[in-house]
Amino acid sequence: MINDDAADAMVMPLPLGGRVLVAEDNPTNQVITVTMLGKLGFTADAVETGTAAIAAVASVAYDMVLMDVQMPEVDGLEATRRIRQLPGPASRVPIVGVTASAFPEDQARCIEAGMQAVVTKPFRWAELARAMTLHIARGHEPCSDDLRIADPAAWERLLHDVGPGPAQAITSVFLSDSRGRLARIADHLAHHDTRLLAREAHALKGSAELLGFERMTEIATRLQKLEKSTVGTEELRSLVDELNAAFAAVAAVCDTRLEHDA
């Protein structure tokens, strides 16, 4: 499960500590993961089954769950679905899936179940650290964390409507266009120009919504609505940071799709 790049992870900029639940039925992997998370500044607990993971999240305020997809009793997908049905903030805990499958359709099922990100075994510690950095710092946001990174049905519709080649081309254009818009949003943020920032957010929202990128759409919509309001720089910066994190997750999904269909 673990590659030997722990040194890389030790220098990754993880902005927050916190309490992490490791749902993993392999005892060796449990010990390694909990130990490394401790070195990275996290407090970590471990459980062996999906059933135990659900119970733990219901009773403890975790900042993140590392959820192995293949576990006895209740697998990681079903455990994630049940966690999303829990009352209150527990339903919104960020979940990073851990799976041996590199197939995009399997990873898409993880996202569909309600996971924020997926890493494949044997994962590199730097890869896991990046996934945690994207999501653990955002905490339990009720509006965007309830939404999917990417709606798999939207991708299937695109493939059906235009075919694999054009779908890849559309994805590539979206990634390139979004990176340019995010760069301009950062520039407008630096100058506190909410009018131009909202205009870029509006354009980004349109393409993200069309392609089923729900979290990006929701955050861009919030930014768009700030055009006519008085808002502080810190609130703007926080939303822009959320948008960049959402795009990074979308880009990972898109890159997987492009590699799979190349």
Side-chain angles (χ1 to χ4, degrees):
M1 178 179 176
I2 311 297
N3 275 358
D4 59 356
D5 65 334
D8 290 342
M10 294 302 289
V11 298
M12 289 296 294
L14 289 171
L16 293 177
R19 190 165 185 177
V20 178
L21 177 67
V22 178
E24 163 67 64
D25 64 324
N26 183 303
T28 301
N29 288 339
Q30 273 190 10
V31 172
I32 294 172
T33 304
V34 168
T35 301
M36 285 306 303
L37 287 174
K39 290 182 179 295
L40 290 169
F42 295 98
T43 299
D45 304 320
V47 293
E48 296 182 354
T49 68
T51 302
I54 298 164
V57 171
S59 60
V60 177
Y62 286 104
D63 297 288
M64 175 164 283
V65 178
L66 300 184
M67 181 77 75
D68 190 41
V69 173
Q70 296 294 329
M71 287 186 295
E73 296 182 14
V74 173
D75 66 21
L77 296 177
E78 181 60 26
T80 298
R81 294 187 192 100
R82 295 188 191 180
I83 287 171
R84 296 302 177 223
Q85 295 172 358
L86 291 173
S91 67
R92 300 188 293 270
V93 61
I95 300 175
V96 172
V98 180
T99 175
S101 174
F103 291 112
E105 54 268 29
D106 291 329
Q107 298 195 25
R109 279 192 284 271
C110 293
I111 300 301
E112 177 71 21
M115 296 178 183
Q116 272 62 47
V118 186
V119 295
T120 56
K121 305 187 220 182
F123 58 74
R124 296 176 60 84
W125 273 104
E127 176 190 6
L128 178 62
R130 279 190 292 270
M132 295 181 72
T133 299
L134 284 173
H135 300 288
I136 197 165
R138 294 191 293 119
H140 301 163
E141 292 291 336
C143 44
S144 60
D145 275 343
D146 286 342
L147 301 174
R148 290 171 290 196
I149 293 169
D151 179 3
W155 176 244
E156 293 302 323
R157 285 194 300 269
L158 187 63
L159 288 173
H160 177 269
D161 291 343
V162 304
Q168 282 187 301
I170 290 168
T171 300
S172 295
V173 169
F174 168 78
L175 291 174
S176 176
D177 179 67
S178 296
R179 290 187 176 104
R181 293 191 185 282
L182 287 169
R184 291 191 290 275
I185 284 174
D187 184 61
H188 299 326
L189 173 66
H191 293 89
H192 202 76
D193 190 330
T194 56
R195 182 180 66 85
L196 292 179
L197 191 155
R199 182 180 299 176
E200 293 291 348
H202 173 74
L204 198 57
K205 169 203 166 188
S207 54
E209 188 172 25
L210 182 66
L211 295 173
F213 302 135
E214 295 180 354
R215 192 173 302 147
M216 272 192 72
T217 300
E218 189 272 338
I219 299 168
T221 299
R222 281 192 279 159
L223 276 171
Q224 174 191 334
K225 292 178 179 178
L226 295 179
E227 179 180 2
K228 298 179 181 179
S229 65
T230 302
V231 62
T233 301
E234 288 307 313
E235 183 179 348
L236 268 178
R237 182 176 292 112
S238 176
L239 277 175
V240 170
D241 286 346
E242 285 191 53
L243 184 61
N244 279 300
F247 173 72
V250 163
V253 172
C254 289
D255 288 344
T256 301
R257 289 171 175 175
L258 293 174
E259 291 170 5
H260 177 70
D261 294 320

